[in-house]
Amino acid sequence: MLRYSVSPEVQMDTRHRLYLLQQHLFSTGFASVHGERPSAEYAKLRKESLESEFGHTVGTHSSTSVSAVYRFGPFLALYRAAIISFHVLKLTIWQFFFRDIKERAVKFREMLIRLGPFYVKLGQALSTRADILPPVYCQELAKLQDQIPPFPTRIAKKSIEMELGIPISEIFADISPEPIAAASLGQVYKARLHSGELVAVKVQRPGMSLMLTLDALLFHMIGGQIKRFAKARKDLLVAVNEMVRHMFDEIDYVLEARNAERFASLYGGWPGDGHTSNHNAKGVNTIKNKNAKGIKVPKIYWNLTRKTVLTMEWVDGIKLTDEAALKKAYLNRRELIDPGVYCSLRQMLEVGFFHADPHPGNLLATSCGSLAYFDFGMMGDIPRHYRVGLIQVLVHFVNHDSLGLANDYLSLGFIPEGADMQSVADALQTSFGDGTRQSKDFQGIMNQLYDVMYDFNFSLPPDYALVVRALASLEGTAKALDPDFKVIESAYPFVIGRLLADPSPDMRKILRELLIRNNGSIRWNRLERLVAAISEQASEDPPESEENDSPLSGWKSFDMHAVVDATEDLLLFILSEKGLMVRVFLLRDIIRAADIFLHDEVFGCRLEAESKARRTSEFEDGAIMSRVVNGFGLLTRAVKSAPEIWTAMLMRIVLKPQTLGFSVDIISAVCNHVSNKFPESFWVCMSRLIHELSKTHAPDTRMR
């Protein structure tokens, strides 16, 4: 039977107690009451796996290209190389004539368009990589989205007939004479089947596989010159290799169709799909929203889909940037953000399979309020380790825990092995500043970290490069609907819900880090806000309706069963051997509260010096007794919302022998402290009272 007793420690004077605490702060290296050191081993293995995958992909397509070169003549590669070399030569000359960085960024974008789809996709990928290019270049390259001239429709029709093996008149009753959308790798036509169904037909640009392979291989010849002209701050070739791996996936429309169906099975069609009900059982809910009906994914017509032709359901919708059309359809721009944000957060933080490019061109609002997703060529699939790491990075960033953040970067492979972690942590702490100018939007946060990333040779792993792209696209899309939208601020409630709902050890550890510092002290302000949020939800009594069955009925709220389970795990941790320092700090805070109560409530006075000292403590910030009373009131309200499960949990905790031992420690420590302080406080307050009375009656004495 385990027995804890720390009464002798709390009976010491303040200096001795602080000395005891300092012995457990572990100021060197990374250690905390939460335990566990991060490791870069997983990140290293992941990188090797991705490099092998990239080599296999390029090797396969290179073999195809070599066959094509032999078939069409060796001059094909030489011709392409000559075109690229000509434009690179112009870049070299422009360096001497265009000194203004904005003009150079415009010329760089124009050159990428002339060089074709490979370089357009390169520009699109680099438009979110301010760790590689200056911000001016990123802003200019963002204009490449959906601004690609189409290829002739007659060529597109021939491609459809060749791929499907049927005359186009036998496939479609009619097809639009011009493409309704053109992108760097293909273009889309609106058509009607003989059955009367409207479909969207995506046709790939001819010769894309050969052209991409040649450009990928030839880029390595001229990458250095482009890097110098664009003033790239990191190895541009690494980013290009990463992009090529995804680009070859994008030109495989059969793979894109599979991605669309997988995406639909995971995230589409609320309410009523099985995955959603499992999700709700875990307690991750969504915002109450009358207009939002969920996520729409077009149906795939497999009999009319091949590697370079994709036929899918036609979806009528409104562009998210068309404010007038949204108003005409009575759609609230702000409310349209909720399903997209919720879906994106589920993709990246819960499931792992995510749409890597949710920009406004790939999203439409339907008349019933659903959000339709398109273009499933660029998808990411991050393992659980990286998803948990992303949540941990967010929590450490919110906590301003620079050392924890540095070790997150190490374990995720951002930082090379052998880096001085303390130096990285110091640089991150400097980037935080005093918190008054702390950015809450994603791009602002990344800008704060870019200098640190450059100085310490950070490198975004392929998985996270896509995550950064997706988050940047998500925030950009949401800002088109609501200029004040901040993705990190919006993600925080979802993250809290995930931490409360997921009982796995790593998520429980992150939840403890959110509420308990590494040295064991409790973040009372954060705990108070969390209890207030849970209590606020508990006080609401939403009417029963079919709308509330949707996952979008409150994703910024919490499942009470999950809250109770998380609370029990937290209390068990505090009572365990690892929670020794938490109990020491908790005793300290209880004694401080008792001391304040003794001075303020019993005797109604407080020494000025003590008052000033206490105001420096987070725990003492504000009227302490009112905060304590308010906190108990909020907790009581939460308990009343589900009294059976709360009572059962509290009974289990109370019956633990560790609880009895800690309760005895609290009572003995408080009694000992009060017995020592009572006489002193009594006579000090009496002295102050006599002094005040003498000052009050002093003028009457002089009058006499």
Side-chain angles (χ1 to χ4, degrees):
M1 185 178 293
L2 204 56
R3 173 75 167 88
Y4 300 101
S5 178
V6 290
S7 298
E9 291 149 0
V10 298
Q11 292 172 12
M12 300 178 183
D13 61 26
T14 304
R15 283 182 297 178
H16 285 92
R17 284 203 307 272
L18 290 176
Y19 175 77
L20 172 66
L21 296 175
Q22 288 170 358
Q23 303 309 303
H24 294 80
L25 293 185
F26 305 102
S27 57
T28 59
F30 180 79
S32 74
V33 296
H34 308 291
E36 301 183 23
R37 289 181 63 91
S39 170
E41 184 62 26
Y42 179 89
K44 181 180 178 181
L45 294 175
R46 177 68 175 163
K47 282 183 178 180
E48 292 175 356
S49 172
L50 290 171
E51 287 172 2
S52 174
E53 180 183 339
F54 167 73
H56 174 73
T57 302
V58 175
T60 301
H61 287 270
S62 295
S63 299
T64 305
S65 299
V66 170
S67 300
V69 169
Y70 277 112
R71 190 161 60 249
F72 297 110
F75 294 103
L76 179 62
L78 293 176
Y79 174 71
R80 183 62 179 163
I83 293 176
I84 293 174
S85 299
F86 170 72
H87 287 287
V88 171
L89 179 61
K90 286 204 301 185
L91 275 186
T92 305
I93 297 173
W94 284 342
Q95 289 185 82
F96 302 102
F97 294 97
F98 296 100
R99 295 295 182 181
D100 182 70
I101 191 169
K102 290 185 178 180
E103 291 184 2
R104 294 178 71 160
V106 172
K107 291 295 181 183
F108 187 62
R109 176 180 60 82
E110 292 173 349
M111 185 207 72
L112 294 180
I113 293 175
R114 293 191 189 98
L115 285 175
F118 174 85
Y119 289 90
V120 169
K121 295 296 290 184
L122 170 65
Q124 290 175 345
L126 293 176
S127 66
T128 59
R129 295 295 296 271
D131 59 323
I132 296 177
L133 295 176
V136 173
Y137 276 80
C138 293
Q139 294 167 8
E140 191 64 33
L141 294 180
K143 299 176 183 179
L144 289 169
Q145 306 283 8
D146 294 327
Q147 294 184 5
I148 311 302
F151 60 92
T153 297
R154 58 180 178 79
I155 296 178
K157 290 182 177 180
K158 286 183 179 180
S159 296
I160 295 173
E161 292 179 337
M162 287 181 61
E163 281 293 308
L164 299 180
I166 309 173
I168 201 164
S169 59
E170 296 182 16
I171 305 171
F172 306 115
D174 59 73
I175 187 170
S176 59
E178 297 296 332
I180 59 165
S184 54
L185 302 182
Q187 54 199 42
V188 179
Y189 292 86
K190 183 178 182 179
R192 185 185 302 274
L193 300 178
H194 289 288
S195 62
E197 296 171 275
L198 288 176
V199 294
V201 185
K202 186 175 180 180
V203 187
Q204 191 175 114
R205 289 178 181 269
M208 281 305 305
S209 177
L210 173 61
M211 189 179 299
L212 291 181
T213 304
L214 283 175
D215 282 350
L217 297 175
L218 292 172
F219 181 85
H220 287 264
M221 298 168 50
I222 50 89
Q225 183 59 40
I226 291 180
K227 177 182 174 182
R228 284 188 291 273
F229 179 84
K231 297 185 180 296
R233 295 184 291 177
K234 291 182 67 67
D235 191 354
L236 190 61
L237 296 179
V238 174
V240 172
N241 289 344
E242 174 189 324
M243 179 208 64
V244 168
R245 182 172 62 88
H246 293 287
M247 196 179 294
F248 282 124
D249 289 341
E250 285 191 78
I251 62 174
D252 185 348
Y253 286 176
V254 173
L255 177 61
E256 180 176 345
R258 292 197 192 103
N259 288 339
E261 289 199 337
R262 182 183 176 190
F263 190 91
S265 68
L266 291 171
Y267 313 113
W270 314 314
D273 63 70
H275 183 86
T276 299
S277 61
N278 291 336
H279 175 63
N280 284 342
K282 291 181 179 179
V284 182
N285 299 318
T286 54
I287 291 179
K288 297 182 174 100
N289 189 332
K290 292 183 180 179
N291 290 337
K293 303 298 182 184
I295 299 299
K296 171 70 177 175
V297 179
K299 180 181 73 174
I300 303 298
Y301 289 79
W302 281 104
N303 60 321
L304 300 177
T305 295
R306 300 293 186 271
K307 193 167 185 178
T308 61
V309 176
L310 173 60
T311 305
M312 53 192 162
E313 173 190 5
W314 177 265
V315 178
D316 284 311
I318 305 168
K319 288 187 176 182
L320 301 184
T321 53
D322 191 344
E323 183 176 0
L326 291 174
K327 283 184 177 179
K328 188 176 180 180
Y330 300 101
L331 295 175
N332 187 299
R333 287 161 58 91
R334 181 62 183 86
E335 288 182 347
L336 284 171
I337 294 175
D338 292 338
V341 171
Y342 168 70
C343 183
S344 293
L345 293 175
R346 275 200 64 205
Q347 293 171 49
M348 287 179 277
L349 300 182
E350 183 181 348
V351 180
F353 182 68
F354 66 97
H355 195 298
D357 198 19
H359 64 77
N362 289 335
L363 295 168
L364 286 179
T366 66
S367 58
C368 65
S370 295
L371 199 62
Y373 274 75
F374 301 94
D375 194 354
F376 299 92
M378 183 176 291
M379 306 295 290
D381 201 349
I382 54 176
R384 175 180 167 78
H385 173 89
Y386 273 41
R387 299 198 301 272
V388 173
L390 188 59
I391 293 175
Q392 189 157 302
V393 165
L394 178 60
V395 169
H396 285 159
F397 182 86
V398 171
N399 288 347
H400 285 193
D401 183 356
S402 59
L403 192 54
L405 196 57
N407 281 274
D408 292 339
Y409 290 151
L410 174 64
S411 64
L412 295 171
F414 285 35
I415 304 175
E417 293 185 59
D420 184 349
M421 302 308 296
Q422 190 59 54
S423 298
V424 175
D426 292 342
L428 288 170
Q429 190 63 50
T430 302
S431 72
F432 291 151
D434 58 4
T436 57
R437 298 186 304 274
Q438 189 68 44
S439 178
K440 291 183 180 179
D441 62 89
F442 179 74
Q443 195 57 54
I445 289 171
M446 291 305 298
N447 289 338
Q448 288 177 320
L449 297 177
Y450 281 143
D451 289 338
V452 179
M453 294 172 72
Y454 180 79
D455 292 340
F456 289 92
N457 196 27
F458 275 42
S459 61
L460 284 176
D463 295 303
Y464 267 86
L466 276 185
V467 170
V468 170
R469 178 189 176 98
L471 286 173
S473 296
L474 171 64
E475 186 169 72
T477 301
K479 280 184 177 293
L481 296 168
D482 179 8
D484 296 326
F485 176 84
K486 295 176 176 58
V487 68
I488 299 298
E489 190 176 273
S490 298
Y492 196 65
F494 183 90
V495 169
I496 297 300
R498 290 288 302 135
L499 293 177
L500 291 171
D502 193 333
S504 60
D506 46 11
M507 297 294 270
R508 286 289 186 253
K509 175 176 176 286
I510 298 173
L511 178 60
R512 293 197 301 268
E513 290 177 342
L514 182 71
L515 300 175
I516 302 173
R517 296 185 180 87
N518 289 335
N519 64 2
S521 60
I522 297 175
R523 304 179 195 271
W524 290 106
N525 284 341
R526 194 156 296 159
L527 179 61
E528 185 179 6
R529 287 195 295 269
L530 181 59
V531 172
I534 296 170
S535 174
E536 181 180 354
Q537 172 195 315
S539 65
E540 296 176 356
D541 187 19
E544 294 293 332
S545 69
E546 293 181 1
E547 291 170 353
N548 290 333
D549 294 334
S550 169
L552 282 173
S553 62
W555 66 274
K556 290 183 179 178
S557 61
F558 313 103
D559 177 77
M560 199 55 67
H561 286 274
V563 171
V564 172
D565 291 341
T567 303
E568 184 172 9
D569 286 346
L570 183 63
L571 292 175
L572 290 174
F573 172 78
I574 293 174
L575 293 171
S576 70
E577 185 176 354
K578 292 181 180 179
L580 171 63
M581 292 311 302
V582 184
R583 297 198 302 279
V584 171
F585 274 101
L586 188 56
L587 277 173
R588 181 200 65 178
D589 293 337
I590 291 173
I591 290 173
R592 284 182 176 178
D595 198 26
I596 294 171
F597 178 78
L598 190 66
H599 281 82
D600 291 3
E601 304 298 329
V602 177
F603 296 112
C605 66
R606 179 187 291 188
L607 297 180
E608 184 177 352
E610 289 182 337
S611 176
K612 183 177 180 181
R614 288 191 177 96
R615 282 196 296 268
T616 63
S617 169
E618 174 193 11
F619 181 68
E620 312 298 345
D621 186 26
I624 183 62
M625 291 314 300
S626 64
R627 288 182 63 189
V628 170
V629 172
N630 182 57
F632 273 109
L634 294 173
L635 185 60
T636 302
R637 194 186 308 169
V639 170
K640 286 181 178 179
S641 66
E644 297 84 2
I645 56 176
W646 277 102
T647 302
M649 183 275 290
L650 292 173
M651 287 300 297
R652 290 193 297 271
I653 294 296
V654 167
L655 294 176
K656 296 279 183 184
Q658 296 93 330
T659 305
L660 177 61
F662 187 45
S663 301
V664 171
D665 288 338
I666 293 174
I667 295 171
S668 61
V670 171
C671 290
N672 182 71
H673 182 77
V674 170
S675 64
N676 291 333
K677 281 285 186 178
F678 188 87
E680 176 187 347
S681 301
F682 175 77
W683 289 116
V684 167
C685 288
M686 288 298 296
S687 175
R688 289 172 62 94
L689 180 60
I690 293 172
H691 180 67
E692 291 296 329
L693 288 173
S694 64
K695 286 170 58 178
T696 303
H697 294 285
D700 295 338
T701 305
R702 287 194 297 270
M703 291 272 304
R704 294 173 185 171

